[in-house]
Amino acid sequence: LKSPVVESSVSLRVSMISGWCTGVARTKSAPETDAACRVERQRVIALLEDTSQKLVFLESIMPDILQHRDDLSTFVGNEISRSISEQRDLEGKYESLIAQRASLKGIPQKSRFKEVQDEIQDVSQTLRESTRNLCRNLKENPDVPGNLLKIRDTRRSLTDVIDQTVEEVRLWTE
């Protein structure tokens, strides 16, 4: 899972170092150029190695995703399941009330019709609130374990690219 942005960024930086050394070669004598390029390459190697070590350290302190994923999924899943169940119950009640209202036609049932109409409005309002709560729960509880796995994989990919770049820069110094 290598990121094209990361790879192109590292390649660009390596190309910039190479171009800088070429530019220095035009303005200075050969021994001065070689020394300046060696120093610059060593600085780049040290910087990249330090970055790679920091990424490895970050991975080592990251919580064990698989260990906590089930607990987190259970907690979030229970809350969302409860909201969905409540939503279904309200939808069933709303549907039942609509059917009742349809059956209440005529003047003798006008008071009962009004009662059912008021109840429909109450259930409708509760259903809207329930829908908002369910949407909020779904938005506030993204796929955290999946996101953490993606971060871990991207970090590993970046570390690999940096290590390859260090090796390329080392080859230039030989």
Side-chain angles (χ1 to χ4, degrees):
L1 297 173
K2 294 198 179 194
S3 168
V5 174
V6 171
E7 285 188 18
S8 65
S9 176
V10 171
S11 295
L12 176 64
R13 290 170 196 238
V14 170
S15 297
M16 288 172 57
I17 294 166
S18 176
W20 180 82
C21 288
T22 304
V24 170
R26 287 189 210 121
T27 60
K28 297 189 177 194
S29 66
E32 290 175 343
T33 301
D34 289 343
C37 285
R38 269 195 303 275
V39 168
E40 202 58 34
R41 287 180 187 139
Q42 290 305 317
R43 289 177 61 198
V44 168
I45 288 171
L47 178 68
L48 290 174
E49 285 176 337
D50 183 52
T51 302
S52 180
Q53 289 170 357
K54 287 178 181 175
L55 288 170
V56 169
F57 173 73
L58 284 174
E59 185 170 342
S60 72
I61 64 172
M62 192 167 117
D64 184 11
I65 298 162
L66 299 177
Q67 180 183 16
H68 300 291
R69 177 172 46 188
D70 293 336
D71 296 336
L72 183 62
S73 294
T74 300
F75 175 74
V76 171
N78 288 341
E79 179 67 23
I80 291 173
S81 293
R82 186 190 58 75
S83 293
I84 290 173
S85 177
E86 180 184 321
Q87 186 83 7
R88 282 190 194 132
D89 292 344
L90 287 169
E91 287 171 355
K93 187 173 181 179
Y94 184 80
E95 189 176 319
S96 170
L97 289 170
I98 295 294
Q100 261 186 0
R101 183 181 67 181
S103 70
L104 295 173
K105 300 286 181 189
I107 295 176
Q109 299 176 356
K110 191 166 183 132
S111 65
R112 176 72 183 131
F113 181 85
K114 177 71 172 135
E115 289 173 15
V116 170
Q117 186 64 29
D118 290 343
E119 202 173 337
I120 287 173
Q121 287 179 345
D122 291 342
V123 171
S124 176
Q125 178 63 30
T126 306
L127 189 57
R128 267 187 242 118
E129 290 172 17
S130 175
T131 301
R132 272 190 235 118
N133 288 336
L134 178 59
C135 290
R136 183 178 36 82
N137 277 335
L138 291 171
K139 285 179 185 177
E140 289 176 356
N141 297 298
D143 183 18
V144 173
N147 290 344
L148 289 173
L149 286 171
K150 183 174 180 176
I151 289 169
R152 183 195 66 193
D153 293 343
T154 302
R155 187 180 295 129
R156 285 180 181 169
S157 173
L158 179 59
T159 302
D160 291 344
V161 169
I162 289 173
D163 291 343
Q164 289 172 358
T165 304
V166 167
E167 290 305 313
E168 288 177 20
V169 174
R170 278 197 176 121
L171 288 174
W172 288 350
T173 57
E174 293 176 354

